[in-house]
Structures are given as C-alpha cells and as structure tokens.
Amino acid sequence: VQLQASGGGLVQAGGSLRLSCAASGLTFSRSATAWFRQAPGKEREFVAAIERTSSRPYYADSVKGRVTVSRDSAKNTVYLQMDSLKPEDTAVYYCAAGRNTITSNLGQEAGYYYWGQGTQVTVSS
C-alpha cells in the first residue's frame, strides 16, 4: 500500500489550497481516511477524516468551517480543500488510511495503519 500526498505549497494568509492523496493497493471507499498535520516543534495533530462506512466527515475544531475533506472513489483519491488559510496552518500535512478504523479512533493517529509521506503547506502573513 502506498499513499501519495500532493498539493502543498506557499500561500498568503486568506488563500486556499487543495491537497490530494492518491492510494495504490488500498481502496479509499473501503477505508477510513484522514488528514493530520505537524507544525515545527509540535506534535502531529488531527485535521479531518472520512468515516469508512458512512462517509461522514469529521473535523478538528481548529479548522472547522475552513476545511472540507472529500473522496473521489473513481479516482481513489482523497482531497483536503483548505480555505481562509492562516499562518498557524503552516505544517506538513499527512494523509492516512485504515481498513478497520472505528469511529472513536478517527481523530487518533493510532487509528490508521497506512501513512503518506507528507506535503508542506506554508502560509505567509
């Protein structure tokens, strides 16, 4: 299984970015999928997830209203649309997937077995 994250870059505050995560060897529609991020000197934190069975999205409070997670089953790709970006959104963003992730673990790193390599998002003020 490989997860390939892309779409990061440098953007001004208030701008938008769309991150993509493509999978090989795993079907996203049969997996819980998530985005996490890690800022310099900080621990990795949950951003957003899509539940495996219901496809319901979940968001961290820090990004709710500014971020949309979605899945394209035909392309086997998960997206993270980020709007109204703030400097504090600067981080390396990771996509993750788990075939057996339960709802209560959607926001936990331990809930995911497969991880992408990360893509850097830098928001300038």
Side-chain angles (χ1 to χ4, degrees), residues 30-76:
R30 299 175 186 171
S31 308
T33 56
W35 290 91
F36 288 77
R37 67 185 181 186
Q38 186 168 22
K42 295 187 177 181
E43 293 186 352
R44 190 153 55 183
E45 64 175 4
F46 170 74
V47 177
I50 298 179
E51 191 177 32
R52 179 175 61 87
T53 53
S54 69
S55 299
R56 177 183 172 183
Y58 291 81
Y59 300 99
D61 288 342
S62 60
V63 301
K64 200 171 292 184
R66 302 188 296 118
V67 162
T68 302
V69 62
S70 62
R71 182 173 66 203
D72 186 330
S73 297
K75 296 182 178 179
N76 203 28

Side-chain angles (χ1 to χ4, degrees), residues 1-5 21-28 30-36 44 48 52 76 78 93-101 106 108-118:
V1 174
Q2 286 190 329
L3 304 183
Q4 181 72 39
C21 179
S24 59
L26 176 142
T27 302
F28 274 145
R30 299 175 186 171
S31 308
T33 56
W35 290 91
F36 288 77
R44 190 153 55 183
R52 179 175 61 87
N76 203 28
V78 173
Y93 284 70
Y94 299 89
C95 59
R99 291 193 173 104
N100 300 302
T101 310
L106 283 173
Q108 309 299 320
E109 290 186 56
Y112 302 91
Y113 189 77
Y114 304 103
W115 290 82
Q117 85 289 0

Side-chain angles (χ1 to χ4, degrees), residues 7-13 15-17 85 90 119-125:
L10 173 63
V11 64
Q12 289 188 335
S16 299
L17 278 176
L85 283 163
T90 295
T119 184
Q120 176 70 47
V121 171
T122 303
V123 184
S124 62
S125 56

